[in-house]
């Protein structure tokens, strides 16, 4: 026998057990043995260890049948906290959750700078405060994940954040050196896709999530794992060319998808048409409700170009589920039906298309969920969603 086999098997068994407890919410030892195909002795030994570590709790169910009251086990949500951070242009959002992904606190910090040093100092200050303030649980803050709206390499180096103009920034290293704790960075679209899988689409192995807010990013969960590509830069689907020789893009090409089908492009078009700076969702909703012909035409073009890109995505990846992150789609009547009507290729196959119910919280919820998954060391994480 190779040294370490027993420890490795124990770790694998624990991972399987934790996955099933999370999936069920609350489950008996007997049922755990059935769904995991592990012996009752293995389940009892693992449960005793997890109880000792404070990671699960026992509850006796009240019932009126004859016999012993069943003892159920569940995750101890109060054993620690996950900290998610969404680093955006103009603001940083912090969210703290328990180990079941339920929000404990959240706050938004406006920022008026794009300077790396200033934002780094701000992050250090707030993370240090969270670390100090949330020590009332056994494990404190179990993980910190930052959602980055840009290119993040496989070694978690920031390659480029367009709106902040950051290039080759080692934010992970700088934060870890200052704070003495592990920090993880991940692309925001990947985290949005992860949140959709963890909180909503539990039976999905292959999921694509297109975020349409500041540009277009695509998070990909394939076989229940992130698909990042060679260097970690996969998913920059917004720079797929849909109009050859079209509008110039900051990436250097012309006719990129995000110049026609991102919310930013629609806001820019409407601001120019209406001669109003900083158009809001509320204004667009009002124009739509008033039957403004010009606005309806722009929205129809948005749907048209969005459908072209979605058709390409579906044909390339053949996903179970496609999720769209867009407030404009939520406020434009029948947008969902219009998109589905446009996806009528005989060779285009997917199971379901959804407009996200997580809205703009998805990336930070995904950040918290990733911290929980890594701490509990489970291959697949299913958590209940409560707004």
């Amino acid at each position: 026998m190779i040294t370490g086999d027993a420890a490795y098997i124990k770790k694998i068994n624990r991972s399987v057990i934790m996955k099933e407890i999370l999936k069920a919410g609350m489950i008996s030892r007997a049922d755990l043995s059935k769904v995991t195909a592990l012996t009752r002795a293995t389940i009892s030994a693992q449960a005793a260890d997890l109880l000792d570590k404070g990671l699960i709790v026992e509850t006796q169910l009240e019932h009126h049948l004859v016999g012993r009251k069943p003892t159920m086990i569940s995750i101890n949500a109060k054993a620690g906290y996950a900290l998610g951070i969404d680093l955006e242009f103009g603001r940083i959002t912090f969210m703290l959750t328990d180990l079941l992904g339920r929000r404990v606190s959240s706050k938004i910090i406006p920022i008026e700078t794009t300077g790396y040093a200033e934002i780094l100092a701000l992050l250090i200050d707030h993370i240090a405060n969270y670390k100090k303030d949330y020590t009332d649980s056994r494990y404190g803050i179990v993980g910190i994940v930052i959602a980055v709206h840009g290119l993040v390499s496989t070694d978690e180096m920031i390659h480029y954040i367009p709106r902040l103009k950051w290039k080759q920034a080692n934010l992970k290293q700088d934060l870890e050196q200052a704070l003495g704790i592990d920090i993880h960075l991940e692309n925001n679209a990947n985290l949005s896709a992860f949140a959709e899988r963890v909180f909503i689409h539990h039976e999905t192995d292959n999921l694509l999530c297109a975020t349409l807010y500041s540009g277009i990013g695509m998070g990909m969960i394939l076989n229940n794992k992130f698909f990042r590509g060679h260097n970690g830069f996969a998913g920059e689907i917004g720079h797929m060319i849909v109009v050859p020789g079209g509008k110039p893009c900051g990436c250097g090409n012309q006719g990129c998808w995000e110049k026609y089908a991102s919310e930013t492009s629609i806001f820019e078009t409407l601001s120019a048409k209406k001669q109003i700076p900083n158009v809001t969702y509320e204004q667009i909703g009002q124009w739509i409700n008033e039957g403004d012909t010009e606005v309806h035409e722009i929205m129809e073009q948005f749907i048209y170009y969005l459908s072209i890109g979605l058709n390409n995505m579906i044909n390339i990846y053949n996903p179970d589920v496609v999720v769209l992150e867009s407030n404009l789609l939520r406020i434009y009547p029948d947008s969902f039906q219009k998109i589905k009507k446009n996806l009528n290729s005989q060779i285009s196959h997917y199971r379901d298309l959804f407009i996200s119910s997580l809205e703009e919280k998805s990336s930070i919820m995904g950040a918290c969920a990733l911290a929980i998954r890594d701490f509990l060391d489970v291959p697949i994480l299913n958590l209940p969603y409560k707004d």
Side-chain angles (χ1 to χ4, degrees):
M1 179 182 290
I2 299 172
T3 303
D5 270 1
Y8 178 72
I9 292 169
K10 182 179 179 180
K11 180 180 179 182
I12 294 297
N13 287 344
R14 179 187 132 156
S15 179
V16 170
I17 289 167
M18 292 292 278
K19 176 174 79 78
E20 293 301 332
I21 295 173
L22 284 159
K23 182 178 179 180
M26 184 178 288
I27 191 169
S28 69
R29 285 173 172 79
D31 287 339
L32 256 181
S33 180
K34 291 176 185 177
V35 297
T36 61
L38 296 172
T39 67
R40 293 200 178 194
T42 298
I43 296 294
S44 293
Q46 287 274 0
D49 186 51
L50 291 168
L51 280 166
D52 185 58
K53 288 181 168 64
L55 292 174
I56 63 172
V57 292
E58 291 183 314
T59 306
Q60 270 201 335
L61 286 186
E62 297 291 336
H63 68 112
H64 303 291
L65 300 176
V66 177
R68 190 190 312 177
K69 298 174 184 178
T71 299
M72 311 294 283
I73 57 179
S74 57
I75 296 297
N76 181 9
K78 298 179 181 179
Y81 302 101
L83 178 60
I85 303 171
D86 195 4
L87 175 58
E88 299 180 79
F89 176 79
R91 67 180 186 179
I92 304 174
T93 306
F94 297 84
M95 180 183 287
L96 197 79
T97 72
D98 65 17
L99 294 187
L100 288 177
R102 298 177 301 203
R103 180 168 51 186
V104 174
S105 70
S106 62
K107 63 182 176 182
I108 298 174
I109 308 298
I111 51 175
E112 298 180 356
T113 179
T114 60
Y116 180 78
E118 296 92 334
I119 293 175
L120 173 63
L122 189 63
L123 286 168
I124 290 170
D125 182 51
H126 282 277
I127 294 171
N129 286 335
Y130 273 104
K131 185 182 177 184
K132 178 183 66 176
D133 293 343
Y134 288 91
T135 57
D136 58 336
S137 64
R138 178 160 180 173
Y139 294 98
I141 294 179
V142 302
I144 301 170
V145 177
I146 301 177
V148 175
H149 293 242
L151 298 176
V152 182
S153 63
T154 50
D155 60 359
E156 299 181 62
M157 168 78 77
I158 293 175
H159 178 68
Y160 183 45
I161 301 180
R163 301 195 73 188
L164 295 180
K165 308 299 183 186
W166 291 3
K167 294 182 179 180
Q168 302 303 322
N170 202 341
L171 182 64
K172 172 183 170 68
Q173 176 181 290
D174 291 341
L175 287 172
E176 289 180 343
Q177 286 182 347
L179 295 162
I181 50 179
D182 289 338
I183 305 286
H184 293 287
L185 271 58
E186 184 57 77
N187 172 265
N188 69 298
N190 280 345
L191 290 173
S192 290
F194 189 65
E196 295 289 343
R197 168 62 186 82
V198 168
F199 291 101
I200 306 294
H201 303 286
H202 292 168
E203 303 306 318
T204 299
D205 295 328
N206 300 285
L207 180 147
L208 302 181
C209 179
T211 59
L212 309 179
Y213 299 119
S214 58
I216 301 181
M218 183 171 70
M220 294 174 280
I221 304 291
L222 302 180
N223 296 321
N224 273 313
K225 296 180 180 178
F226 286 125
F227 179 78
R228 296 186 174 91
H230 176 58
N231 293 315
F233 303 152
E236 290 301 311
I237 199 73
H239 298 288
M240 168 178 59
I241 296 173
V242 296
V243 181
K247 298 176 183 178
C249 180
C251 75
N253 284 324
Q254 291 178 289
C256 290
W257 190 28
E258 68 178 41
K259 300 305 292 184
Y260 297 85
S262 68
E263 292 198 351
T264 298
S265 69
I266 302 305
F267 279 104
E268 289 174 352
T269 299
L270 285 172
S271 288
K273 293 283 187 182
K274 298 293 186 181
Q275 295 295 295
I276 298 174
N278 302 319
V279 168
T280 66
Y281 289 112
E282 290 74 18
Q283 288 172 312
I284 295 174
Q286 182 178 341
W287 292 328
I288 290 170
N289 293 334
E290 291 172 351
D292 188 305
T293 303
E294 188 174 50
V295 173
H296 275 269
E297 288 177 355
I298 290 169
M299 289 300 297
E300 288 296 323
Q301 283 290 297
F302 170 56
I303 297 291
Y304 170 73
Y305 284 112
L306 179 58
S307 301
I308 290 174
L310 289 176
N311 182 74
N312 294 342
M313 284 169 50
I314 290 166
N315 282 330
I316 293 169
Y317 293 101
N318 183 215
D320 297 333
V321 169
V322 179
V323 183
L324 304 177
E325 292 273 0
S326 169
N327 288 328
L328 286 181
L329 293 178
R330 295 185 190 97
I331 65 177
Y332 190 57
D334 301 322
S335 60
F336 179 73
Q337 289 77 11
K338 289 176 179 179
I339 292 169
K340 290 203 75 172
K341 186 177 179 180
N342 288 340
L343 301 177
N344 53 17
S345 168
Q346 294 299 308
I347 62 170
S348 180
H349 295 287
Y350 63 99
R351 193 179 74 211
D352 284 307
L353 174 72
F354 297 94
I355 296 175
S356 175
S357 58
L358 301 181
E359 303 179 0
E360 292 184 81
K361 304 186 299 294
S362 64
S363 61
I364 198 167
M365 289 177 66
C368 292
L370 188 59
I372 294 168
R373 188 201 69 177
D374 290 348
F375 172 69
L376 296 179
D377 193 22
V378 291
I380 298 173
L381 184 66
N382 291 327
L383 296 175
Y385 173 52
K386 292 184 180 180
D387 192 6

